[in-house]
Amino acid sequence: MIHSNLKHISKASVLLLFVLVGETTLAQKKQIVKQKPSVVAAQRMTVTGVVNDHSTGKPLAGITVSYADIAADLTDEKGIFSIKVPSLDVELHLKAEGFEPRQVSLKGRSELSISMLTETGKSFQQNAVLHHESKPMRKNTASIGSIGFNGNWNRPFESIDELLQGQVTGLQSIRRSGATSKGANLLLRGQNSLYGSNMPLVIVDGMIFDPSDYGNSLMGGNHTNPLSLINSQDIDNVSVIKDASSEYGAKGANGAIIITTGRAKRQATSIDFGVYGSYNQMPDQLPMMNASDYRVYLGEILQSKGMGISAIAAMPYMRDDSLTNSEYFKYHNNTNWQDKVLRNSINKNYFLKVTGGDNIATYALSIGFTNMEGVLKSNNLTKYNTRFNAAFNFSKRLTGQANLAFTYNEQSLRTQGIDAKTSPLFVALTKSPLLVANEVNEKGIFSPNLGDTDIFGVSNPSVLIEKAQGTSKNYRFAGSYTFNYDLAKSLKASAMIGVFYDKNRENIFLPRKGVADDTLSNAIADSRLGTQVRRLFSTYFDAKLEYDKTINNDHQVASRIGLRYQKNAAEQDYTLGYNSATDELISVQNGVGALRQTGGGINEWNWMNSYFSTEYGFKERLFLTFSAAMDGSSRFGPDAKSGLGINGVRYAFMPSLGAAWIVSSGSDFGTSSRVDLFKLRATLSRSGNDDIGNYTARQTYTSQNFLGMQGLVRSGVPNPSIQWETSTKANAGIDVAFWNDRVAMSLDLYSSTTTDMLVYEKVLSGSGFENVLTNGGAMRNSGFEAMFNMRAINRPALKWDLGFNYATNRNKIIKVPNDQFLTNTHGATIITQNGASANVFFGYKTNGVFANSTDAVASGLKTKNADGSYSNFQGGDVQFVDLNGDKIIDEKDMQQLGSAAPRFHGSFSSKLSVARFTIDALFTFSQGNEIFNQLRYYLESASGTDNQLNSVVNRWRTEGQVTSMPKVSFGDPRGNNRFSDRWIEDGSYLRLRNITLSYDLFLKEKFVKNASLYLTGNNLLTFTKYMGYDPEFSAGNAGFAQGIDNGLDPLFKSVTMGIRIGL
Amino acid sequence: MKRKRDIMKICRMETALLLLVAAVFSTGCQKIFDIKPKDTLDQSQMYQNVYDADAAVLGIYGKFMGLADRYIILNELRGDLLDCTQNADENLRQISTHAVGVDNPYASPKPFYELILNCNDVLENFKKMKVQNKMTELEFNQRYSDIGALRSFIYLQLGIHFGKVPYVTSSIKNVDEVKNPDTYPVIGFDALLDSLIAFTEKLPYKDLYPAGSNLNITVDGYQTQKFFVNKKVILGDLYLWKGNYQSAAVNYREVMETGTQGVAGGQYYSLYKVGWDSNGDVDHYISYSRAGDASTLVQNTQWRIMFEQPFGSSGFDREWVWVLPFDSKFNPENPLIRLFSPVGGSYTVRPSQLVTDMWNAETQKPAQGGSIPYDARGLLSTKQIGGQPVVMKYLYNYLNYSSLLPVNPLAKTGKWFLFRQTHLHMRFSEAANRSRKHKLAWGLLNSGIAGAFPAPGSDVTNFHNTLNEPYPFNFDARNSGSTGVPYYRADWYRNIGIRSRANLVDLAIPASDSLLSIENGLIKETALENAFEGTRWPDLLRIAIRRNDPSFVADKVYNKLIKSGVSAGAASTARAKLLARDWYLPFKW
């Protein structure tokens, strides 16, 4: 049965091959006959061979064996083929559906025996789908990672940036938070820029896809992730170009991710349908103090504030007599507030994909519906997506493609992270457990109404969940048309025109009841209302001429020259209102007129890139590539120091060179070698980063109010020599495959140097400016990457694939102004220093807590007070390390506390197929990265009435007590909570990122072609010493924000069940 | 052969394509990459007409407002009238004790230069506009002179506080110029004064924006005329610092005569003339509703009201020369509430014990029931709130003078006081005194011209005046009284003198030394009258430099510090530092 099916398929594929290449082959033959009789003679050499299945040893029929575009044969039932070749120094290609393609060097042999592996998807014969072409990995000179998705049928709730985690060596994907569709921060081979973007360039179906979130969300801590608008189930292939991305000119410094979405692979109509449901588990809660511990703590903190014992005892939460204390029931509870804001939840997804067509046009149409609920109550996402990809054959010479996609998201969101008034999770952690969510009267009867702000001025988390509102409606339309015209046999012209339009509308409302007031400059903000619209409109044009020719069968030349142009406009408009008449009036126009604030911004920028690339291949064993791009951009200053000046405009010139040599194909490598591939490759390239601000080179005037009048003042000093950051990359790699292609491994060594790096240079006071943005910095990343894939077991009914990715990167600052500078962000201090790596936490080291005051005073250590005087430390204060020995703990004692960049990171994968069952597991790991646990900083600072972590119970309370937790002290006068190693934690982790059990149903029904069941677990196991919710998070895209846990909604475990049916 | 041809063909094709691309680049690209910002104004769109010029002027003044707290802290806290409270941070304490660290934000010259650079840009572009006929000659003269004079004022401030400063006169157009040290020629205070005088003297227009000008209007309830710097006052100050007393007096005198035009009336006789008006809201006397009864000090009107009065009111107009409003409806937020007020602010500075003692050492004029042994201006300049002394001058638009409570704690309305008629008279007197016109100076300080040159009888023809003196010292204050013959109501007949207006007895001057005693009296009187209004440190410094006597400033600061409870060591250190002529703040480059 299977056999006959295979036969049909292989016959069909041969037919298809003939349709595609027949004409050219014939044409070529004719030509060759006319001009090169010697070649024809050579072609009479015949190679025969037998092909068998590696797992069973049985011969395989229907395998296509081909030599270039010139000769092909199919194996017969005994697995035997026979093919004519010009010499015995050529390569044969073998392929068949369901099997890993193979390439065999004849090396003088005319009789071969070849084993074929069932598909692993990891061999060097797999095609990497690149921007202009699709070619086997073995032909690449650059370091490229390629993942065949074939539709993402088992993890429909993850966006592409999340799915890339652990898939490509050297690509660090750090998920931002557990809120729905927040996506991940992508870093390829470390951080290349301090102030510019570190996000790789994303190209979807040939068009640049801008993944940036322009402007800020009205709901703090939220990031709108445009990549989540690419439905991951539509994705066919992702290739990650780590070096030699010169062709993208001033946008290529961070590498490129090339995403190809699904299109019809055959003309017959095929329908695939998937239904999924997922259960999301509430994250493990942080251990906060319970009511009794908290009350003791509260008593101490009020005392340290200076309140007398009797005054404290008179507070309603201290008076324990329910008869005399009318507020007894309001303040005598033990509420777990995390329960009030976190939950278990359910996701749903439906997806339908239809492909088909005829010889004029083929299409792939997909539609999907997703509903995702986060683990934070009220967090919710509904997504509708559709995509239409089509390919047309208008005539023999004129073909075209259309890619149209539209995705619409509707989200309910809340403020995330550290926000003492409006972030539900943070308020839930800090809210006193003595209180309850609902109103309660003096008899202890609870009302259904939610309570107001409490006696400590803290919001009611339940109000933030249930009564506050935050919605985001966003969509992106992306569409492109491509036309190709064959000008001559080897010459093709093509043009793409594309557009995308993004819109994101947000509305927020925070009621007056239950939310702590905000203070404006001239009023108290009871209730807060807001609306915002953000738009991004981008048009894209790419035209090119391509030349592709094989000369004398040995020399392959492919060249292209083209021009890209992108025009962008981003706009943000917001209105904030305050104090609507009642909490029922929630739209922004109901705010008090005098307090209304409006604002926003408009940004426009253009980019033009002309590119040239040429690839040369000799006998499929030596490959040379050269590419160059010339970029112009509205962002570049007219006086840029590097680049080329043409007609008053500066252009960046970005060349690259690459070479690869397949040593194993040479006949001197030996025919008996078990090595299937031994390839050396190297590239040297230059690319740029154009994320330098849109108007930095221009002198602009901004409005300056003076009473109600508007004046105009200069908005800063322009830098007409502002330019792109230049990245020079060198890469050397080895690709090896052996054991009948069962083992494939790559090693890469690279160095990437950013020069002209944007830095803020301090300037003389006399200029009136603090600093100016210049291209005065430099930084280097160097590292090592290893990839290993193996078919460990290859039996007919048992197959086990193992994979391993490992990357280590060292970042080094080469040049910054004044050799070093400090950056304060999210409560952390970060040092950037020549010779050290970027983003090193810089603070105080501690040496425990003084057990008693005599020791503390005897130590002689002092700290400076706000008024400039000095105080001794006391018992229960933190003992900071006095680095410079002057007995004064001040900024001179700050030192490096570690970096947020991991020493190494990567993944293991395992895929075990037993009969119809497959278990696919992916482990990811990150080692040696430090985290500043800012959330714990707030929850262990013991300096206010906020609830604290259970660890604060062990605080220092009496003279002589030995503990690591300092005493409570209101307002922290001794600076025990200064930025120190108290909150720096090891962020290393090993995680079972994903495990999928799938089962292919055996179906007799002809109507249904195939059906699979999936059971997937996400984040099920995490091994880490990290004390926060989860060691994976990203506070922001800037390098300086890496490794800072600012309490965003945590990642969670989930289990997904799904079924896919193919018709 | 074929291969060669093919390669040739490829080469030809690629050359052609490269040429094509080069052609595309060399045409039209400039336009593609020339994108003007839409939410700010591109340079090429600015300075197109007089409205842009007005916007530039308003922008400068809007930014200038940001210097208010710094101006007061540097000019008063460095002196002896203002002191730190227990809430003051280290930086303020350093200012007060003259132990300023280089990183002290209040001592950063940067905000001054930010404004100067903006002024330079405006001046440079105004000149271009004039050449391109985008402004008329008159429009140019008015606006150019305004910004030029303001820049001179800021440079004078820099000179006073930093001594040697970079004198930047270019607008700094790009980063290369920013980084070029030649942009910042450093000059000493005296050379700076020369440069400033030369520049300011040449300004083509030295009057205020006239009625009908776009910049002399009423906006948001504020009459704008007094927002803008008075160029002659700045020029007078520059000459006074330089020691050119004649020119200083000329310039001050011109301002004193601002009202001397048109029909004689209240404004004519008392605008900037420290004249009586029989209306407490206008003449700002110190008086009592029951003569001699100290408890009946008039507060709801008279002297105190000048700080509360609205822009455009008669009393306000006649008193104030230069003042800017902070309105809670608009940014920037009033920083002076934060500085001074214990209600709704941080209360970081307070009146020094020394100034309180100075007021208490004065004696008021004997009235029915005897004299009152203190200067009542102390009671109106400061108040006790919650048992703490508070500088009130800046708070009268925020706190009710009687209840001392804000109407709306968040409505932080107020004013930044820069110059008023008493400054004017005192500085004129200082110049007159140094020009040997001691009696005139003494008169303006005490009981007015008529008080210094009293009439013996009914014929007042040759009295009440200094008409035998050359300009600018020739004042005519003749007043025949209602029965006098001939009948005189000369221009200055209402001038009553600073101390007399404050109901204080005349300052006694020993016959042996008029010059220094009168000068001391003038400086002291400015302290009593204009305390906390931002001129104390410059006054002390100016005299110390003039007399080459650092003890003039050192001892006063020392006394303040001793009385404020700062350690004697710190006070002595400050004194020693000032005695060593180490008067200036560290200039952080």
Side-chain angles (χ1 to χ4, degrees), chain A residues 335-347:
Chain A
T335 304
N336 179 348
W337 287 104
Q338 292 182 79
D339 282 344
K340 301 285 177 193
V341 298
L342 296 171
R343 65 172 173 196
N344 301 317
S345 65
I346 300 288
N347 292 353

Side-chain angles (χ1 to χ4, degrees), chain A residues 31 35-36 491 519-524 545 547 549 551-552 555 557 559-563 565 567-568 600-610 612-614 630-635 639 641 646-649 651 694-695 698-715 717-721 761 763-770 772-774 864-870, chain B residues 2-3 6-7 9-10 13-14 17-18 21 24-30 32-44 46-47 52 55-56 58-63 65 86 88-91 93-94 108-110 113-114 117-118 121 125 166 168 171-176 178-181 184 217 219-220 222 224 227-228 324-333 408 410-412 587-589:
Chain A
Q31 244 178 9
Q35 296 168 354
K36 286 268 165 187
L491 187 65
T519 309
L520 306 174
S521 67
N522 55 355
I524 299 285
L545 277 171
Y547 178 82
K549 181 142 178 125
I551 300 157
N552 203 13
H555 307 276
V557 179
S559 293
R560 60 187 69 85
I561 186 159
L563 185 78
Y565 173 65
K567 182 176 164 63
N568 306 280
I602 301 173
N603 274 289
E604 292 182 4
W605 66 102
N606 291 345
W607 173 71
M608 193 166 80
N609 161 277
S610 60
F612 168 76
S613 71
T614 186
M630 199 163 79
D631 276 40
S633 167
S634 62
R635 291 170 168 174
D639 305 334
K641 299 276 188 289
I646 301 174
N647 204 14
V649 179
Y651 294 92
N694 290 326
Y695 307 113
R698 285 180 171 270
Q699 175 70 70
T700 59
Y701 289 80
T702 187
S703 79
Q704 161 74 51
N705 77 304
F706 181 42
L707 290 174
M709 301 177 281
Q710 290 301 317
L712 286 164
V713 292
R714 281 211 295 192
S715 35
V717 65
N719 185 354
S721 51
E761 260 181 74
V763 291
L764 298 176
S765 298
S767 70
F769 300 104
E770 191 73 42
V772 292
L773 192 60
T774 67
K864 199 182 212 178
N865 301 318
D867 65 1
S869 61
Y870 293 90
Chain B
K2 168 83 164 63
R3 194 187 306 176
D6 278 340
I7 292 168
K9 218 161 97 185
I10 297 168
M13 188 112 57
E14 284 169 1
L17 291 174
L18 279 171
V21 170
V24 169
F25 269 85
S26 52
T27 59
C29 283
Q30 224 173 342
I32 292 175
F33 300 131
D34 183 26
I35 300 183
K36 294 187 176 68
K38 291 202 171 141
D39 50 2
T40 53
L41 210 52
D42 190 68
Q43 190 176 19
S44 59
M46 179 65 179
Y47 298 115
D52 289 344
L58 293 174
I60 293 290
Y61 276 92
K63 257 199 146 35
M65 298 280 283
Q86 72 277 14
D89 65 7
E90 184 187 10
N91 295 319
R93 284 168 203 259
Q94 286 182 350
S108 168
K110 202 165 289 159
Y113 278 99
E114 189 186 349
L117 266 294
N118 273 300
D121 178 63
N125 282 292
V168 186
S171 65
I172 304 193
K173 286 184 201 64
N174 56 49
V175 167
D176 290 340
V178 168
K179 293 203 243 174
N180 182 0
Y184 313 96
I217 51 171
V219 63
D220 301 307
Y222 296 91
T224 62
F227 291 180
F228 303 102
L324 284 153
F326 284 106
D327 189 300
S328 68
K329 293 194 288 295
F330 306 103
N331 275 332
E333 196 177 328
N408 173 356
L410 293 169
K412 294 177 176 169
F587 190 93
K588 189 182 182 187
W589 276 92

